[in-house]
Amino acid sequence: MNKAPLPLPAEHIPPGTADWRTPGAERWLAAVPAGWARPLWSVAALVVSMVWYLAAGPAPVCTSAEPCGTDWWGLGTAVVLALTPYWVWRQPRLALVGLAAGVVGFAAEGGVTESLAEPYVLAHLVAVAFTTAGIVHRLALAGRQRALALEAAGPAARPLPAAARTFRRGRFSFGLAALILAVAGFGYWQVQRVADAYEERAAAATQLSGRVVALERDDDMDIVKVEADGRTHRFETAFPESFPEGGTADVVVDGDWAALVAEPYDAFGWELLVFAGLTASLAFFANGVDGRTRSVRLRRGSLPVLKVLVREDHEDSRTWVFAADDPEGLRPVLYFHSLAASGEGEEEEGPEDADAVDLTKVREILRGEDPPPPLREAVLYGVPYAGAEVAFAARDDEDSPEVVVECSVTAVKPAVAGPARRGPKLPSQNRGRKNAQRPVEEIAATLAPVDGLRVWKAHGLSRAVGLGLLVVQGGGMWAMLDDGPSWTWLWLVVGLPWLTTAVATALTWRITADRDGLWVTGAWRVRRIGWDAITAVRHTDDGIRVTTGKDHPDVALSPTGWAWLERRLDREPYAVRAADEMRALHLDPALRPAEEAPAARQGMAVGPPLVAVSALWGAAVLLL
C-alpha cells in the first residue's frame, strides 16, 4: 500500500499558493515540442552535413601570393561551428547565433553560390534550416508552457526563501573556462613563435622559383621535390594538389635551410590545441554565464508559486515533479537535478534518534532492496517551462520535520506525455537501471503461459548498430590495406576479431526459450543452456549475460542494441526487457513454453560467413 505524501507544514506554504492540478499539468505537458524538433535529430543532421562537407569539400589552394599559414579567422569560424551542435542541445538561443555566424562565414567563402551544384553544400544548408526550425519551435512552445504555468499559479507571488538567496551557480564553469583558455593562450603563443621564427629567417634568405619534379608518398607523408638553384629540395606538404608535377613553386633558401613560400611552416599541432582550448573554454564560459544569469533572475523580486508533489529519483537523484492531486506519483510532469540551498539548521542527532530502529527498512535492507524515496508535498518557486530555473521547499525526509529549500542545477525538462511517460525509477520500476532488476512478480504480470516458444532477437536498433560497425570495419580495412604492407596492419590483428564478433552479434543475435532451456545464438555458434544450469540473467553494458554454474561457462551477447539511445527516445530498451523476461521464465517454471525448439528455430551464427566476406573485401582492396 502506498504511503501518503509527506505533508509540508502550513507555515511554509505562502498564502494564496494554488495547487497545480492534473488538468493544468496535462495542458502544460501537451505543449512539449514535436518529435522532429528534438535536439538529437538536429545535432545528428548538423554533424553529418559538416563531416560530409569536410570530406567532399574543396581543399585549400596554397600559393605564394596567398600562403597556407595560420588562418585565425577560419579557426574562429571552426570553433563556432564545433560549438553549435552542443549549443543546439544545451542553449538553443546561442545556437541560433552560431548557425547565423556559420552561414555568414559559409557565404563569405562562396558556399551559397555553389549550393546548386554541390550536394554536400545543399545538405549543410538544409541541415541548418531544419535545425533553425526545430529551435524556433522549441522556444515557441517553451513560451506557451510559461504562459500556462503563470495561468495555473494565478496572482500569488512570493520572494524566494532566504535560505536560497545566496545560492549561486557558474563559479566552477568560470574557473574551468579560465584554466582551459590559458592552455589555448599557450598554444597561440607557440604558433606565433613558429610564425615569427619563419618570418625572421625568411627575411634574410634568398627567394627562388623552382620546378616541381616529383610528388612522393613517404611514411604517410606527402613529399614534394622542387629543383631550384641547381639543387633538389624535399618538402613535406599538407596540400600536394597545390603543387602539380611540372609546375613551379617558390622557395626561400638560407644555406641548408629551405621552405616553401606557399606552405611556410607547420604549426598544426599547436593550432589544434588552440582550437580545442577555445572550443572547450567557450562552452564552459557560456554555461557559466547562462547558469549565473538564470540564478540571478530567479532571486530577483517575487516569483509565482505552485503547490506540487516531488520525489527524488532512486537511480540518478533527479527531482521529479507531480501534480498536487497525484498522491501516488503516477504521472510525472517535469524533472531537474537540484541541490540544497543551505546546510544550516541541521539538527544534531540525539540519543533517542540514534537508538530508534525502523523495522521496515531493516527488512528491506536484509532483502537487498533500497527503501523507495518518499513522495513529498512541496512549494515550487518560479515559472516552470523547458529550460527554466526553479526552486522548491519541502520536508527533508520522513524521519525529520525539517523543511529544506533546493535549487535546480540543471534546466527544467518536461516528462514525456502519454502512456510511455518517463518517471522516477523506483525499486519496483527500475527499467534500465544498470545493476538492478524488476521484481519477478511485476514481469510475470505482463507474461502469460504459452504453448509455443519465446524468441528474443536482434531488433531494428541492434541491426543499425551492427550495420554502423560493419561500415567502420570495411572503411578501416580499406584505409589500412590500400597503401600496401605497413605497421598499421597490426591494428587489424587487434581490432578485426572484436569488430567481426560485434557486427555478427548485433546483426543476428537470437535467444529462443523452450521447455528445457535457452538456445543462445551468438557470433560464432549456438549454445544450449538448460534451465537448471542458469543462475542469473541480466542486461549489462549493452549486452545480455546468462550466468551459469561452475560446470558451464557463462554466455554473453554484446552488443544487443543501444540502451542509451532507446532511453533518450523514451523507450524501454528491448534487450533490458528481454533479459527481465528470461529471468522471469527461469525463476517461474509456470511461465515457460511447453514445446521443444526445432532446429529451424534455434538460430544460426553468422560469424564464419562474415569472416569470409571480410577476407574477400580485404583481397579486393589489395588487388584493385
Side-chain angles (χ1 to χ4, degrees), residues 9-299:
E11 61 269 21
H12 291 276
I13 303 176
T17 301
D19 290 352
W20 199 8
R21 297 190 172 274
T22 298
E26 292 291 346
R27 290 175 60 202
W28 188 91
L29 265 177
V32 297
W36 65 268
R38 289 180 178 174
L40 176 64
W41 309 125
S42 298
V43 170
L46 280 178
V47 171
V48 169
S49 67
M50 288 179 184
V51 171
W52 189 9
Y53 182 84
L54 290 175
V61 178
C62 304
T63 65
S64 299
E66 296 183 5
C68 291
T70 302
D71 180 10
W72 295 118
W73 173 260
L75 188 143
T77 303
V79 168
V80 173
L81 290 176
L83 282 171
T84 299
Y86 173 72
W87 285 340
V88 169
W89 196 285
R90 293 290 303 273
Q91 299 181 28
R93 288 181 174 82
L94 266 181
L96 290 176
V97 177
L99 290 170
V103 170
V104 170
F106 197 56
E109 296 180 0
V112 174
T113 59
E114 300 171 359
S115 60
L116 297 179
E118 302 295 345
Y120 56 84
V121 176
L122 182 60
H124 182 66
L125 294 177
V126 169
V128 168
F130 173 75
T131 303
T132 302
I135 291 174
V136 171
H137 178 68
R138 287 161 55 195
L139 293 177
L141 287 179
R144 171 67 176 160
Q145 287 181 329
R146 177 183 174 84
L148 290 171
L150 286 172
E151 179 183 335
R158 294 292 182 273
L160 201 64
R165 293 176 195 166
T166 57
F167 187 84
R168 293 291 183 269
R169 289 178 54 197
R171 280 177 288 189
F172 176 77
S173 293
F174 287 141
L176 203 54
L179 180 63
I180 299 175
L181 187 61
V183 174
F186 175 75
Y188 173 81
W189 175 64
Q190 290 289 354
V191 173
Q192 291 301 113
R193 283 188 62 193
V194 172
D196 292 343
Y198 165 77
E199 294 293 345
E200 181 180 350
R201 191 153 191 180
T206 303
Q207 181 166 335
L208 303 171
S209 181
R211 184 172 63 90
V212 178
V213 295
L215 285 172
E216 298 178 352
R217 183 82 173 171
D218 184 15
D219 293 333
D220 296 329
M221 295 184 297
D222 290 302
I223 304 296
V224 57
K225 290 185 176 181
V226 179
E227 190 177 86
D229 194 26
R231 288 188 295 174
T232 300
H233 303 274
R234 300 174 78 253
F235 304 100
E236 294 181 14
T237 175
F239 307 103
E241 57 276 2
S242 299
F243 307 98
E245 192 170 341
T248 60
D250 293 330
V251 298
V252 286
V253 179
D254 182 15
D256 293 334
W257 176 84
L260 286 168
V261 175
E263 287 188 54
Y265 52 85
D266 180 13
F268 177 76
W270 295 115
E271 291 170 352
L272 188 61
L273 179 64
V274 174
F275 168 78
L278 282 177
T279 303
S281 62
L282 285 176
F284 282 111
F285 180 76
N287 286 346
V289 170
D290 182 65
R292 178 61 60 86
T293 302
R294 293 176 186 274
S295 177
V296 171
R297 188 183 302 132
L298 186 66
R299 287 149 188 79

